[in-house]
C-alpha cells in the first residue's frame, strides 16, 4: 500500500499518473476528491481531508507500507517552523503508530552548507526532514533546487511583456529541475522495496542555468525576445504581501532567496546519479510554450 499526499498538486499529480500504471495498492489524501484526474479516480482509495490533520493521517496511514510526503505551502502560517515541522508532526507520530516502513519526502538542497541555518523556508524544510528521520522510519528526502515549473506563474508577463523576474543575479548559474523529474525520482523510490535507513537523493537537472541562459532559451523556443529583470528583495516582499501572503512566509522566502544567492544550492556535485534528464529547452518546448500559447 502506497499513500500519496498532494495528489492534485504539480508533483503529486504527475507521480500519481506514474504509479497508476503499477500493480500497487494506492491511497491518496486529498481535500477535494473532485480534483483528481478522471483516469485515476477509480484506481485509488481516497481519504478526504488535510494531511496535516492528526485524524486524517491516522486513517490514511493505517495499513500503509510506503508514504509520499510533500508539505504544501502555507502563506498564512504563523512561522516557517509551523508551516513545515508543525504540519508534519501528526504524520510523524502516525508513521510510528502504524509501522510505516518507508517515506519519500520532497525537500531542498542546502544541508551542510554555511547558509543552511539561515535559509528561511529551506531551513524549515530541513528541520522537517530531521523530524521524519527521527521517527525511525526509513526515509529518503528528495533534495531539490529551484523548479523550472515556477516560471508558469509568470506566463502572462512572458507572453504580454516578454519579461520574467526573480531576485537572483542575472549571470549566476544554479541547478534547475523539472517537476516531472522529481515525480520520476519519487516513483522509483516508492516502488523500490530494497532501501532502508535515512538518506538524501539530490535531483539537480542536467546543467546549471542563469536567468540570462533561461532568457536566451525562452527567446529561441517562443520565437520572440524574452528578457530578465532582476527584482529587489524589498519589491518581491511587497508584491507577496500585496497578494495577502503573511509576514512569516514572506520573510522565509526572502531569507531562502538570499541564501541561494550565497550558494545554498551549490553544495552537491552533479553526477550521473544526481543529474536528472529534462533539459530547460525540452521543458520550454513541452510545458512553457503550450502554456504561453494557451
Amino acid at each position: 500500500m502506497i499513500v500519496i499526499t498532494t495528489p492534485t498538486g504539480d508533483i503529486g499529480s504527475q507521480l500519481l499518473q506514474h504509479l497508476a500504471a503499477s500493480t500497487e495498492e494506492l491511497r491518496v489524501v486529498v481535500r477535494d476528491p473532485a480534483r483528481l484526474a478522471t483516469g485515476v479516480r477509480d484506481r485509488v482509495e481516497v481519504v478526504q481531508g488535510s494531511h496535516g490533520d492528526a485524524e486524517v493521517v491516522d486513517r490514511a496511514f493505517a495499513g500503509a507500507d510506503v508514504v509520499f510526503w510533500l508539505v504544501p505551502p502555507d502563506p498564512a502560517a504563523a512561522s516557517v517552523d509551523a508551516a513545515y515541522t508543525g504540519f508534519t508532526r501528526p504524520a510523524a507520530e502516525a508513521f510510528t503508530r502504524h509501522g510505516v516502513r518507508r517515506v519519500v519526502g520532497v525537500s531542498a538542497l542546502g544541508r551542510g552548507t554555511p547558509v543552511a541555518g539561515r535559509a528561511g523556508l529551506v531551513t524549515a524544510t530541513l528541520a522537517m526532514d530531521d523530524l521524519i528521520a527521527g521517527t525511525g522510519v526509513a526515509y529518503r528526502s528528495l533534495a531539490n533546487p529551484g523548479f523550472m515549473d515556477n516560471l508558469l506563474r509568470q506566463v502572462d508577463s512572458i507572453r504580454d511583456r516578454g519579461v520574467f523576474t526573480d531576485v537572483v543575479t542575472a549571470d549566476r548559474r544554479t541547478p534547475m529541475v523539472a517537476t516531472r523529474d522529481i515525480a520520476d525520482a519519487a516513483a522509483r523510490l516508492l516502488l523500490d522495496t530494497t532501501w532502508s535507513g535515512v538518506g538524501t537523493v539530490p535531483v539537480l537537472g542536467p546543467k546549471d542555468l542563469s536567468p540570462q541562459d533561461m532568457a536566451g532559451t525562452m527567446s529561441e523556443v517562443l520565437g520572440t525576445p524574452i528578457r530578465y529583470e532582476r527584482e529587489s528583495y524589498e519589491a518581491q516582499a511587497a508584491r507577496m504581501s500585496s497578494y495577502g501572503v503573511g509576514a512569516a512566509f514572506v520573510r522565509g522566502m526572502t531569507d531562502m532567496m538570499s541564501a541561494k544567492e550565497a550558494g545554498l544550492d551549490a553544495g552537491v556535485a552533479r553526477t550521473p546519479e544526481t543529474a536528472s534528464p529534462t533539459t530547460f529547452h525540452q521543458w520550454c518546448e513541452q510545458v512553457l510554450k503550450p502554456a504561453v500559447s494557451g
Side-chain angles (χ1 to χ4, degrees), residues 139-255:
Y139 182 54
R140 290 293 182 273
S141 59
L142 297 172
N144 302 297
F147 298 168
M148 298 175 190
D149 303 71
N150 287 345
L151 282 168
L152 294 175
R153 301 170 186 168
Q154 301 192 55
V155 162
D156 289 345
S157 179
I158 292 169
R159 179 182 56 239
D160 300 337
R161 299 175 53 230
V163 172
F164 73 104
T165 64
D166 205 339
V167 295
V168 300
T169 305
D171 61 355
R172 183 177 183 83
R173 289 191 169 96
T174 57
M176 294 287 290
V177 65
T179 56
R180 67 172 71 165
D181 291 346
I182 302 170
D184 286 347
R188 289 193 297 271
L189 286 165
L190 292 167
L191 294 171
D192 182 356
T193 62
T194 63
W195 57 272
S196 60
V198 173
T200 299
V201 179
V203 190
L204 301 183
K207 65 182 294 185
D208 290 359
L209 297 167
S210 71
Q212 288 177 339
D213 296 331
M214 295 163 66
T217 299
M218 284 191 279
S219 298
E220 177 186 348
V221 171
L222 299 178
T224 189
I226 305 296
R227 72 181 189 278
Y228 172 68
E229 291 184 357
R230 188 180 185 189
E231 186 176 43
S232 69
Y233 294 114
E234 294 77 15
Q236 182 191 64
R239 179 170 48 78
M240 292 176 67
S241 297
S242 73
Y243 296 153
V245 178
F249 197 91
V250 170
R251 178 59 185 268
M253 176 65 76
T254 300
D255 289 347

Side-chain angles (χ1 to χ4, degrees), residues 69-92:
W69 183 256
L70 190 158
V71 172
D74 181 4
S79 69
V80 292
D81 289 333
Y84 286 88
T85 56
F87 185 93
T88 302
R89 189 161 285 110

